[in-house]
Amino acid sequence: MRLILALLLTFTSLASFALTFDGLISKTKNKTLFVDNINKKTYTLTGNTAIISTYLAKLSEGDFISIEGTRNTAQTILTVSSVNYIGLSALLGSWIDDKSYCYNFSSFTEFSVTQKVIGRKCAAGLTPNYTYIINPASTSWVMLISGERGGGYIGDLKFISPREIEIQLYDSETGDILSYIQLRK
């Protein structure tokens, strides 16, 4: 019984060291830096596994990240144990597809879809009608999307260039491919 209690206390104390952090990415030549939203301190990000390190390397200046990790304040290092979700700064703004629709990514977690107004111009002041989060994957980004009327989608997001992206949408329940969306800025 004492052994079980000792193990339980050990695991509980280890789990308490992992905290949630939200902030923005800053880049230098050799390092991925993290600016904490709460205390505005800058930390060097390291992954506790090779795959997490690969995900961190994919991020760009100004991207948002929500992570679980441990902080070494003496050395200003933040070791990431898992990525909750990210926000891509390159995705923000208005994107237009070939079917006369405008996708306005107003924040790292919300976007709206409307018809184009004139030419390549999008309607302004729209209320977001979708929420989304992005998770890293090896060759692309995975989008989890939910609409204001319920229902969910999974999207595979790829940047073709800084001004062109592709999203392949899947039904989150069946896995069926719903549509292939090509967007341009």
Side-chain angles (χ1 to χ4, degrees):
M1 187 63 145
R2 286 184 186 176
L3 178 61
I4 293 173
L5 182 59
L7 288 173
L8 183 60
L9 289 173
T10 300
F11 288 124
T12 303
S13 66
L14 287 176
S16 67
F17 288 116
L19 300 171
T20 300
F21 298 92
D22 296 331
L24 295 177
I25 295 296
S26 179
K27 291 283 203 168
T28 66
K29 282 185 180 179
N30 307 356
K31 296 179 183 177
T32 300
L33 303 174
F34 173 84
V35 181
D36 191 295
N37 274 354
I38 295 174
N39 63 22
K40 304 300 182 204
K41 290 186 180 179
T42 301
Y43 298 93
T44 301
L45 284 183
T46 61
N48 71 348
T49 65
I51 192 74
I52 290 178
S53 295
T54 302
Y55 293 160
L56 296 176
K58 287 179 67 171
L59 298 172
S60 299
E61 181 81 23
D63 287 347
F64 172 85
I65 189 167
S66 175
I67 55 175
E68 301 291 323
T70 56
R71 173 177 53 195
N72 179 331
T73 52
Q75 297 176 350
T76 63
I77 295 174
L78 188 54
T79 303
V80 180
S81 55
S82 69
V83 176
N84 298 328
Y85 69 97
I86 59 157
L88 301 172
S89 60
L91 186 60
L92 297 177
S94 295
W95 297 80
I96 299 172
D97 74 3
D98 295 332
K99 299 174 187 167
S100 297
Y101 285 98
C102 183
Y103 292 69
N104 184 29
F105 290 86
S106 56
S107 73
F108 292 128
T109 58
E110 297 179 320
F111 74 97
S112 58
V113 180
T114 60
Q115 289 189 308
K116 288 189 283 189
V117 178
I118 299 172
R120 297 190 51 82
K121 196 169 189 169
C122 297
L126 301 171
T127 303
N129 51 359
Y130 293 95
T131 58
Y132 73 100
I133 60 171
I134 296 177
N135 287 305
S138 55
T139 60
S140 62
W141 304 96
V142 176
M143 294 180 76
L144 304 174
I145 303 167
S146 62
E148 63 185 7
R149 294 182 209 138
Y153 308 95
I154 298 172
D156 191 22
L157 169 69
K158 292 181 183 176
F159 280 85
I160 306 305
S161 74
R163 302 191 61 76
E164 184 177 1
I165 59 175
E166 295 175 347
I167 302 172
Q168 190 163 358
L169 283 182
Y170 302 89
D171 184 292
S172 62
E173 293 183 24
T174 66
D176 294 337
I177 296 174
L178 298 175
S179 65
Y180 175 78
I181 304 165
Q182 197 164 18
L183 300 173
R184 291 177 185 80
K185 270 200 171 186

